[in-house]
Amino acid sequence: MTTSRKKTKISVYLDPEVMQMLADFAARRDRSQSMVAEAAIASFLSPDDGERREAVLARRLDQIDRRITRLERDVGISIESLAVFIRFWLATTPALPEPAAKAARAKAGERYEAFISALGRRLAQGPKLRQEVSEDVDGGAGS
């Protein structure tokens, strides 16, 4: 026969909102309110509670840091891609005479729509540029 420790009954006053939260939580977990309250109090009084919370916070901050690092990399790739394109376009595209410029402006809307469609397809299914660009590119390798 095992000996069980007898639990002590206490009375506490809870705000109606807290009481409702306790009842809802206990019902969702299919546990008694007493068991949930006891576990919450034990957790609150635990000496390592602060350490656990700090560890959870540190993990979340690490995740955010990794996401920000990826975001910075992606923005850097975008800016460099745009700069390379603009330099290339300015260096290789001669100015058009006025009659040809009017025709080019008329064709620009159609070409822009084709560009937007291609970009949409690429974003929806193709590999992303950031996946194609290696961070370990050696400036002199392969040239």
Side-chain angles (χ1 to χ4, degrees), residues 31-80:
R31 301 281 188 242
S32 70
Q33 291 181 17
S34 180
M35 178 187 275
V36 172
E38 182 179 2
I41 292 169
S43 176
F44 185 79
L45 297 176
S46 171
D48 66 337
D49 180 57
E51 293 172 10
R52 276 187 287 144
R53 288 182 190 201
E54 186 176 327
V56 167
L57 183 61
R59 274 195 308 274
R60 288 180 184 163
L61 288 173
D62 287 345
Q63 290 172 347
I64 290 170
D65 184 52
R66 284 191 299 275
R67 289 177 183 160
I68 288 174
T69 300
R70 282 193 305 265
L71 183 61
E72 287 174 341
R73 177 181 180 263
D74 294 350
V75 168
I77 290 171
S78 299
I79 290 170
E80 289 302 316

Side-chain angles (χ1 to χ4, degrees), residues 85 104-121:
F85 173 77
R105 280 191 291 273
K107 189 77 171 161
E110 181 182 324
R111 293 177 69 190
Y112 180 74
E113 290 300 321
F115 167 75
I116 293 299
S117 296
L119 180 62
R121 284 190 306 275

Side-chain angles (χ1 to χ4, degrees), residues 81-96 111:
S81 298
L82 181 60
V84 168
F85 173 77
I86 290 171
R87 284 185 184 142
F88 177 79
W89 186 82
L90 291 173
T92 59
T93 306
L96 297 173
R111 293 177 69 190

